[in-house]
Amino acid sequence: MNLFAIITEALRALHQNRLRTGLTMLGMIIGVAAVVLMLSIGQGARTKINETIAAMGSNLFIVVPGATSSGGFSFGSGTVKTLTINDAYAIAELPSISAASPVTTGNVQLNYAAKNWSTLILGTTPDYFEVGNWKMESGTTFTESDLRSAARVVVLGSVTAKNLFGDEDPVGKTIRITNRPFLVTGVLMAKGQSLTGRDQDDNVFIPITTSERQITGNQFPGSIRYMLVQGKSAEDMDIAEIEITQLLRQRHRIAKSKENDFTVRNLTAIADVATGAAKVMSIVLGAIASVSLLVGGIGIMNIMLVSVTERTREIGIRMAIGANQRAILTQFLLEAMMICIMGGLIGLLLGIGGAWLVSQVTDMLIVITLGMVGLAFLFASAVGIFFGFYPAKKAASLKPVDALRYE
Amino acid sequence: MSLMTNYSASPLIRIENLCKSYSLQDANGKTITNQILFNLNLTIYQGEFVAIMGHSGSGKSTLMNILGCLDTPTSGSYWLGEKNVAALSNDELAHIRNQSIGFVFQGFNLLKRMTALDNVATPLLYAGVSRSNSRRQALELLRRTGLENFAMHQPNQLSGGQQQRVAISRALVNRPPLILADEPTGNLDTQTSREIMLLFAQLNCEQGITIVLVTHENDIAAYAKRLIRLKDGHIIVDENNTAGVVSDEIA
Ligand SMILES: Nc1ncnc2c1ncn2[C@@H]1O[C@H](COP(=O)(O)OP(=O)(O)O)[C@@H](O)[C@H]1O
Ligand SMILES: [Mg+2]
């Protein structure tokens, strides 16, 4: 009997028992849909985290004032004023460090024409954009000479630019920051959320000198909120961390027995933790989905076993008219596989549809790869073969006379 | 027994010292052996029409199942044509059932929810014939058995006689030299039984197909040319059927 004929026989049998076929298929559909959905959510989370990390810049340290808090990563309480602009400049000179950018922060009111917008203002150095891996949407950053002269120039985050200017090009326009006119030199490209979930695009950047003297004011001259430090190479991050720590302890004249009055955080390490967490999450999601696939597979085995018993007489008749064991085995195996493959296809479509729905309803990123689709499909077929084989084998190894005598 | 030497044809079926017993577990879990067939010796030549008779439980079906390669003997040998059946693999047995033997059952044993045409075509499919060719040949057979107009009917839409004709067509579709029929008229009324028996007689006369048929009715056995009686697993009678009516009816 050729394969085509066997396939036709299998299809006929499935068609004859539509209800049973459908119910069995349901297990497969749910399993595969769950696998696709879970994998796409997991993959989406990983992709998002990787994008964020790539946008963050490489070999980064963030140095904040204040001792290490037990609460883990934070941007400092904001009341400790132990880090200064000059600390940053000194760190930039270290052999393992390529750049260090001091940052002050504050909240300000912006005006352009009739629009106003309140946002976060960061005072920093031109290096900041390089170190933080910021790309320009239009215009340029402010310059070293702007920094020296404390010029009234500003670089806008993309969200801020959109809110103040709409579709107008902000470059070369003048906005007012707490009522002082500032020239817009450039607009940054959007970065999205940070690892901690903060919107990184709703802010403006001005030279730190301008910020100190004209905007935030400063009761502690030269003190900063944090600094962004870039190491020269990924391998020497440990050395760089030691150098930063030693230099700052020395500059702050901290006695040997005393704690640091600052905290150095390696952002790469944080990124690794986040990547690891995302990976674990997608594995867990995948495992949960696999269980439902497994349950679907066992359902198929159940049904096939019932079907073999119910059709014992049919098997006997087929043997009596010349079916060999392989023909019977193939027929039952194909029936199981067809349930799986058809269920798999429907599940695949449902899973993709579900993933699309999730991406519409929530702001989660959903990624569906061809590999994922292939995996779900392969898995479905494997389940079909695995759970179909035993009943099929059982059917094929019956003795014709016993099968025929079965009531 | 010497009667059989009249046949010039070669032996199709030859069994020697054939025994069949079943092992059963009794209530105490002890194995008891229940012997059904005892040292049967039998030779059937090509072109014969043999009726096997005997009381219920005498082992007729057991013998037929062994002859049909649906079951295996406990001991003794069975030669079908040139082949020693005991030495054949499962696949070879399936091939013999497909090509050399057409089995007709009392209960018809058609495949449910399948048209008469597809039922008849299935043995051809197992023989590797393409679907369209097998359907064409099946239709030709249904035409010869007078069921042309019922080709697309499913078994439950056919009368008993029609179902048995479909089953006979199915048994014939691979042109086997041997038809084994275990009480083929057992579920049919007298008139339909007569028609079925005439069909067998015709196949035997016109196409020389060897027919071995089980019955416990004398007027059915009357169609056969040779009569074998089984009693408690022993052959007690093996003779030419003098009461034959076939020649009159066919002529
Ligand atoms: N699979 C089996 N297991 C045990 N005993 C069996 C089996 N098949 C048949 N028998 C026994 O063999 C005997 C002969 O049965 P069978 O050949 O069907 O008789 P007949 O067809 O002549 O009426 C019966 O007593 C029956 O109970
Ligand atoms: Mg019987």
Side-chain angles (χ1 to χ4, degrees), chain A residues 1-2 4-6 8-9 12 16-17 313-314 316-328 331 399-402 404-405, chain B residues 20 22 65 69-72 90-91 94-95 97-98 105 109-114 118-119 122-123 125-131 170:
Chain A
M1 199 177 201
N2 61 37
F4 178 73
I6 298 179
T8 321
E9 289 300 300
R12 187 212 307 274
Q16 275 168 10
N17 298 290
R313 208 178 170 80
E314 177 196 329
I317 297 170
R318 287 181 180 276
M319 285 174 162
I321 61 177
N324 58 23
Q325 295 192 342
R326 188 157 33 85
I328 301 286
Q331 185 189 330
K399 210 169 162 186
V401 68
D402 295 332
L404 277 167
R405 197 177 282 130
Chain B
K20 178 70 182 178
Y22 292 105
N65 289 337
C69 297
L70 299 170
D71 203 356
T72 47
N90 280 328
D91 276 3
H95 185 72
R97 291 194 294 268
N98 185 239
F105 304 87
N109 273 344
L110 295 177
L111 292 169
K112 275 181 251 169
R113 298 194 213 100
M114 223 178 181
D118 282 334
N119 260 291
T122 306
L125 293 180
Y126 286 121
V129 178
S130 76
R131 186 161 285 268
R170 181 179 67 184

Side-chain angles (χ1 to χ4, degrees), chain A residues 402 405, chain B residues 22 24 34 36 54-63 182-183 214:
Chain A
D402 295 332
R405 197 177 282 130
Chain B
Y22 292 105
L24 298 168
N34 186 13
I36 310 298
H55 295 295
S56 181
S58 57
K60 306 181 297 290
S61 293
T62 306
L63 176 60
D182 191 352
E183 305 201 38
V214 167

Side-chain angles (χ1 to χ4, degrees), chain B residues 41-79:
Chain B
N41 289 287
L42 180 66
T43 306
I44 295 173
Y45 292 85
Q46 274 174 21
E48 278 200 87
F49 189 163
V50 184
I52 299 177
M53 296 190 75
H55 295 295
S56 181
S58 57
K60 306 181 297 290
S61 293
T62 306
L63 176 60
M64 288 295 268
N65 289 337
I66 292 172
L67 294 181
C69 297
L70 299 170
D71 203 356
T72 47
T74 310
S75 67
S77 59
Y78 169 24
W79 294 80

Side-chain angles (χ1 to χ4, degrees), chain B residues 48-49 102-105 164 167-169 171-172 179-185 188 193-213 220 223 246 250:
Chain B
E48 278 200 87
F49 189 163
F103 215 110
V104 179
F105 304 87
Q164 196 60 299
I168 293 170
S169 306
L172 291 169
I179 295 280
L180 299 173
D182 191 352
E183 305 201 38
T185 60
L188 304 176
S193 297
R194 238 171 66 90
E195 286 167 22
I196 294 292
M197 288 316 294
L198 280 173
L199 181 58
F200 279 126
Q202 196 185 355
L203 290 168
N204 176 247
C205 273
E206 293 174 6
Q207 298 180 39
I209 297 174
T210 311
I211 293 172
V212 181
L213 174 142
I220 295 298
Y223 288 84
V246 175
I250 297 265

Side-chain angles (χ1 to χ4, degrees), chain A residues 332-351:
Chain A
F332 278 82
L333 204 54
L334 270 173
E335 280 182 28
M337 279 185 68
M338 278 177 191
I339 290 179
C340 286
I341 288 176
M342 283 188 271
L345 272 178
I346 298 170
L348 201 63
L349 293 179
L350 271 181

Side-chain angles (χ1 to χ4, degrees), chain A residues 269-351:
Chain A
I270 292 171
D272 286 348
V273 171
T275 317
K279 198 170 178 176
V280 169
M281 180 177 103
S282 52
I283 289 172
V284 169
L285 289 178
I288 292 170
S290 304
V291 168
S292 59
L293 205 56
L294 197 73
V295 171
I298 293 169
I300 286 171
M301 181 150 78
N302 263 322
I303 296 290
M304 292 312 290
L305 278 173
V306 169
S307 169
V308 164
T309 315
E310 201 181 272
R311 288 158 68 194
T312 304
R313 208 178 170 80
E314 177 196 329
I315 294 166
I317 297 170
R318 287 181 180 276
M319 285 174 162
I321 61 177
N324 58 23
Q325 295 192 342
R326 188 157 33 85
I328 301 286
L329 184 86
T330 317
Q331 185 189 330
F332 278 82
L333 204 54
L334 270 173
E335 280 182 28
M337 279 185 68
M338 278 177 191
I339 290 179
C340 286
I341 288 176
M342 283 188 271
L345 272 178
I346 298 170
L348 201 63
L349 293 179
L350 271 181

